[in-house]
């Protein structure tokens, strides 16, 4: 077992122990053990072979033995017994917002509840509200959480779905029987989450393509195996559809199965207005004739052109006004990944990142970036090892020296991700904030304020003259945590009025602010910054997910600060 798999098991042990109500010291030891393993730089095999695991701070004898056993045998009796001793329903309840291990234990111990269904029943009867430490509010929150869990249960983050889809698409393209292959559906439209993967292939010999697809190693179940359509469930729970069409139908099918449904409806209406019926099979003149018009349409561009429209990028096909825009040559030139010259909101080992300043700098250089901003947490985020004033100023100095040394071509910028305190005040004083290049302000605590309080809190932070940009506007964690209560429009207006940026947090679980808001916000004059919120060198790559969402939000290069060259960015900061 590799270190990440072992770290996964240690975190699970921590959760199970907490669910059992064990001594906090005990489960925290596993939690921190997992974190240590994740950020381990030395080779685990080497450490085990040389018996040096216990020399790492935070890994005692007992923990070392378990890590060693997992590493060598892939098994651990202690873990297996623990899993057996905790009802799986309790573990599932951890997904419900507002229900931590402590509360789950209370629910289990007092009412004998060990499944989500029973939890729902108890809520219906009002029993949860009566438990000590719960109350009406938290019961309502649990009910909402159960609902969300059902709604979200079947969806997946775009980023992880795309990683799964990549090799499958490459495999399809490599098959001799395949002329063309593309992914379609929400994956191609770059939605923040996807329900299932859709693949489309042009081939006049579907059989071997279907057989290859349903026979993939990663397929755990074949749910349909037809002549031209197959569906499978992949390991990890994702479902995937494959459709094979004759080559001359490919363009029409690609457009149809890319969707969205609403966009398709509008496109069919438009075709009808022009006297044609548009389907996944082709275009047919409405006036009786059965003849299909497909000879001269070999790309989506040509299909749109036939309907007197400019090409509409898949990201925009959401019936958000894209057809009107395409009619009037007003599809914007959307931002592209290659436009990005650097990013601002990233973490290092100084707070809760897993890589050092220099490792981040070197990774940014590999990405070809002109600048890399570091914005570690501030002191109020003690759970994320937030920096004190002294540590921040020390980091500013470190960054200055590193820049001066000329060791990296990427220029480092010193920022901070400064907590917005519950009152809307910032976690650092003006005199400290004046010493960094820019200030990202974010909420990391007291999420439960009312809409008015939260909105006022954030607006107050935006009014601080030192604030440069607002981090992860709503705090949502896709598929896991709802946005906090806030009035997004009021905040956008305040940002524009105060000349502040709202970031597009590109972490695949956040993608916050939501793409649906960007078009109108940018029209009001809001400036965007795409930030990966990276906690590792790998995490810098999340900027790609941010570019997707910016494109979905109709954003162009000039509406995004980090497409600008270094000099202009510095100029912007020193306004
Ligand atoms: P998902 O999978 O829930 O994330 O969303 P999609 O958009 O990938 O939806 P999916 O997989 O059900 O279908 C793929 C595409 O096929 C969809 O984007 C549009 C098209 N499509 C599917 N069903 C219909 C339909 O009933 N009417 C129309 N007009 N188009 C459909
Ligand atoms: Ca789909
Ligand atoms: Ca589908
Ligand atoms: Zn944050």
């Amino acid at each position: 077992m590799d270190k990440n798999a072992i770290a996964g098991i240690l975190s699970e042990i921590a959760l199970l122990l907490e669910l059992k109500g064990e001594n906090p010291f005990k489960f925290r030891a596993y939690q921190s053990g997992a974190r240590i393993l994740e950020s381990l730089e030395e080779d685990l095999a080497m450490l085990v072979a040389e018996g040096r695991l216990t020399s790492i701070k935070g890994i005692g004898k007992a923990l070392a033995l378990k890590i060693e056993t997992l590493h060598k045998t892939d098994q651990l009796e202690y873990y297996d017994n623990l899993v057996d001793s905790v009802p799986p329903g309790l573990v599932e309840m951890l997904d419900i917002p507002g229900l931590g291990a402590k509360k789950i234990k209370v629910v289990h111990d007092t009412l004998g509840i060990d499944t989500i269904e029973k939890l729902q029943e108890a809520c219906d009867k009002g029993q949860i509200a009566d438990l000590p430490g719960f109350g009406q509010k938290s019961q309502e929150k649990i009910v909402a959480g159960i609902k969300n869990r059902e709604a979200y249960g079947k969806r997946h983050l775009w980023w992880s779905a795309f990683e799964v889809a990549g090799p499958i698409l490459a495999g399809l393209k490599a098959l001799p029987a395949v002329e063309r292959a593309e992914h379609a559906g929400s994956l191609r439209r770059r939605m923040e989450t996807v329900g299932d993967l859709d693949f489309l292939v042009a081939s006049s010999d579907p059989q071997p393509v279907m057989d290859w697809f349903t026979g993939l190693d990663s397929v755990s179940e074949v749910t349909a195996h037809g002549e031209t359509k197959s569906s499978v469930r992949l390991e990890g729970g994702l479902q995937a559809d494959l459709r094979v069409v004759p080559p001359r139908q490919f363009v029409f099918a690609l457009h149809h199965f890319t969707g969205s449904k609403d966009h398709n409806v509008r496109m069919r209406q438009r075709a009808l207005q022009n006297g044609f019926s548009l389907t996944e099979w082709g275009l047919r003149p409405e006036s009786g004739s059965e003849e299909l018009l497909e000879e001269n349409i070999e790309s989506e561009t040509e299909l749109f052109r036939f309907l007197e429209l400019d090409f509409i990028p898949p990201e925009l096909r959401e019936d958000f006004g894209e057809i009107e825009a395409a009619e009037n040559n007003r599809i914007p030139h959307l931002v592209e990944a290659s436009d990005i010259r650097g990013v601002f909101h990233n973490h290092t080992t100084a707070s809760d990142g897993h890589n050092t300043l220099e490792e981040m700098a070197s990774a940014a250089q590999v990405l070809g970036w002109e600048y890399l901003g570091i914005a570690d947490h501030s002191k109020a985020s003690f759970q994320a090892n937030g920096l004190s004033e002294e540590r921040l100023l020390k980091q500013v100095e470190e960054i200055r020296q590193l820049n001066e040394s000329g060791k990296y071509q990427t220029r480092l910028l010193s920022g901070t991700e400064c907590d917005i305190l519950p009152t809307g005040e910032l976690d650092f004083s003006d005199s400290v904030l004046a010493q960094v290049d820019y200030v990202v302000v974010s909420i990391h605590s007291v999420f439960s304020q009312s809409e008015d309080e939260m909105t006022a809190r954030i607006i107050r932070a935006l009014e601080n003259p030192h604030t440069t940009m607002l981090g992860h506007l709503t705090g949502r964690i896709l598929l896991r945590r709802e946005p906090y209560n806030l009035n997004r429009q009021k905040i956008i207006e305040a940002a524009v009025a105060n000349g502040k940026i709202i970031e597009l947090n590109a972490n695949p679980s956040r993608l916050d602010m939501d793409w649906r808001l960007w078009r109108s916000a940018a029209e009001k004059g809001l400036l965007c910054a795409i930030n990966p919120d990276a906690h590792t060198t790998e995490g810098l790559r999340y900027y790609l997910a941010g570019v997707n969402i910016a494109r979905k939000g109709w954003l162009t290069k000039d509406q995004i600060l980090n497409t600008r060259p270094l000099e202009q960015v510095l100029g912007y900061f020193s306004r």
Side-chain angles (χ1 to χ4, degrees), residues 468-487:
T468 315
M469 63 182 86
L470 175 63
H472 44 71
L473 167 68
T474 74
R476 74 174 181 189
I477 306 288
L478 290 166
L479 313 179
R480 287 215 329 262
R481 187 170 84 200
E482 289 295 294
Y484 13 88
N485 300 317
L486 40 72
N487 185 325

Side-chain angles (χ1 to χ4, degrees), residues 153-154 156 164 168 195-196 213-214 216-224 230-241:
K154 297 193 184 93
H156 307 262
V164 172
I168 298 179
D196 71 356
F213 180 69
T214 52
L216 280 171
D217 276 350
S218 55
V219 166
S220 62
E221 189 190 343
V222 178
T223 44
S230 293
S231 299
V232 299
R233 185 188 296 278
L234 301 166
E235 279 163 12
L238 253 173
Q239 310 219 107
D241 289 342

Side-chain angles (χ1 to χ4, degrees), residues 184-185 188-189 251-272 277-280 300 303-304 307 312 314 316-320 322-323:
R188 184 164 181 244
R189 296 199 315 279
V251 167
F252 302 96
L254 179 61
H255 176 264
H256 176 86
F257 291 111
T258 297
S260 65
K261 226 162 139 177
D262 293 340
H263 167 87
N264 287 353
V265 168
R266 297 291 312 277
M267 285 288 283
R268 276 200 304 271
Q269 284 169 352
R270 179 159 183 97
L272 281 177
S277 131
L278 173 65
T279 68
E280 60 191 278
E300 283 185 325
L303 172 56
F304 285 116
L307 297 173
I312 301 176
L316 299 191
R317 300 183 196 167
E318 301 287 355
D319 191 20
F320 256 56
E322 70 275 12
I323 296 186

Side-chain angles (χ1 to χ4, degrees), residues 165 168-173 175 177-185 187-188 197-203 209-210 213 228-230 240-259 280-281 300 317:
I168 298 179
L169 185 63
L172 284 169
K173 284 185 170 168
L175 295 178
V178 171
E179 282 188 27
R180 294 168 82 174
E182 282 300 338
H183 50 233
L187 189 75
R188 184 164 181 244
L197 307 179
D198 298 282
F199 296 100
L200 185 72
V201 157
S203 171
V209 185
M210 288 298 168
F213 180 69
T228 60
K229 184 188 167 190
S230 293
D241 289 342
L242 168 66
R243 292 176 182 85
V244 181
V245 300
R248 62 198 163 75
Q249 276 173 18
F250 183 77
V251 167
F252 302 96
L254 179 61
H255 176 264
H256 176 86
F257 291 111
T258 297
E280 60 191 278
W281 319 111
E300 283 185 325
R317 300 183 196 167

Side-chain angles (χ1 to χ4, degrees), residues 401-420:
Q401 284 178 10
L402 204 53
N403 282 332
E404 216 156 70
S405 76
K407 191 166 170 191
Y408 300 100
Q409 270 155 24
T410 301
R411 162 75 177 262
L412 294 170
L413 303 171
S414 40
T416 169
E417 185 183 14
C418 185
D419 264 42
I420 303 175

Side-chain angles (χ1 to χ4, degrees), residues 111-384:
L111 299 171
I113 289 172
D114 57 4
T115 65
I116 292 184
E117 291 71 40
K118 289 184 197 166
L119 179 65
Q120 175 74 58
E121 284 169 26
C123 288
D124 293 344
K125 290 187 209 151
Q127 290 173 324
I128 301 295
D130 291 335
L131 291 177
F134 281 75
Q136 193 62 35
K137 265 242 168 95
S138 64
Q139 177 171 293
E140 279 163 20
K141 200 166 169 209
I142 291 169
V143 172
I146 295 174
K147 262 215 200 94
N148 281 332
R149 194 177 168 277
E150 284 164 1
Y152 287 151
K154 297 193 184 93
R155 297 193 71 82
H156 307 262
L157 294 179
W158 180 88
W159 186 267
S160 44
F162 193 74
E163 274 179 352
V164 172
I168 298 179
L169 185 63
L172 284 169
K173 284 185 170 168
L175 295 178
V178 171
E179 282 188 27
R180 294 168 82 174
E182 282 300 338
H183 50 233
S186 50
L187 189 75
R188 184 164 181 244
R189 296 199 315 279
R190 275 41 180 174
M191 279 293 275
E192 61 273 48
T193 63
V194 306
D196 71 356
L197 307 179
D198 298 282
F199 296 100
L200 185 72
V201 157
S203 171
S204 32
D205 184 13
Q207 193 60 43
V209 185
M210 288 298 168
D211 292 346
W212 179 85
F213 180 69
T214 52
L216 280 171
D217 276 350
S218 55
V219 166
S220 62
E221 189 190 343
V222 178
T223 44
H225 189 157
E227 269 171 44
T228 60
K229 184 188 167 190
S230 293
S231 299
V232 299
R233 185 188 296 278
L234 301 166
E235 279 163 12
L238 253 173
Q239 310 219 107
D241 289 342
L242 168 66
R243 292 176 182 85
V244 181
V245 300
R248 62 198 163 75
Q249 276 173 18
F250 183 77
V251 167
F252 302 96
L254 179 61
H255 176 264
H256 176 86
F257 291 111
T258 297
S260 65
K261 226 162 139 177
D262 293 340
H263 167 87
N264 287 353
V265 168
R266 297 291 312 277
M267 285 288 283
R268 276 200 304 271
Q269 284 169 352
R270 179 159 183 97
L272 281 177
Q273 284 162 8
N274 293 12
F276 292 91
S277 131
L278 173 65
T279 68
E280 60 191 278
W281 319 111
L283 266 167
R284 182 164 47 78
E286 264 282 278
S287 52
S289 156
E290 282 301 301
E291 194 190 349
L292 291 172
L293 293 177
E294 54 212 13
E295 286 76 45
N296 301 320
I297 298 183
E298 290 182 348
S299 65
E300 283 185 325
T301 305
E302 287 168 11
L303 172 56
F304 285 116
R305 178 92 334 258
F306 186 85
L307 297 173
E308 292 164 343
L309 297 172
D310 288 342
F311 177 75
I312 301 176
E315 296 92 327
L316 299 191
R317 300 183 196 167
E318 301 287 355
D319 191 20
F320 256 56
E322 70 275 12
I323 296 186
E324 290 79 355
E327 219 171 9
N328 300 309
N329 306 112
R330 288 169 76 170
I331 293 285
H333 187 89
L334 303 177
V335 61
E336 287 166 28
S338 57
D339 293 330
I340 300 298
R341 295 173 188 252
V343 294
F344 308 112
H345 176 181
N346 305 289
H347 299 267
T348 71
T349 45
S351 65
D352 61 347
H354 293 280
N355 288 102
T356 62
L357 182 61
E358 291 217 32
E359 285 165 350
M360 295 298 275
S362 143
Q365 178 168 300
V366 171
L367 286 165
W369 284 344
E370 281 178 40
Y371 45 89
L372 174 73
I374 301 298
D376 271 310
H377 287 287
S378 65
K379 60 186 195 288
S381 276
F382 51 87
Q383 75 290 345

Side-chain angles (χ1 to χ4, degrees), residues 88-112:
L90 300 190
V91 180
E92 285 173 18
M93 283 179 212
L94 285 167
D95 286 343
I96 299 172
L99 263 188
K102 241 194 220 155
K103 284 196 162 170
I104 294 173
K105 187 170 161 18
V106 171
V107 167
H108 182 232
D109 290 353
T110 54
L111 299 171

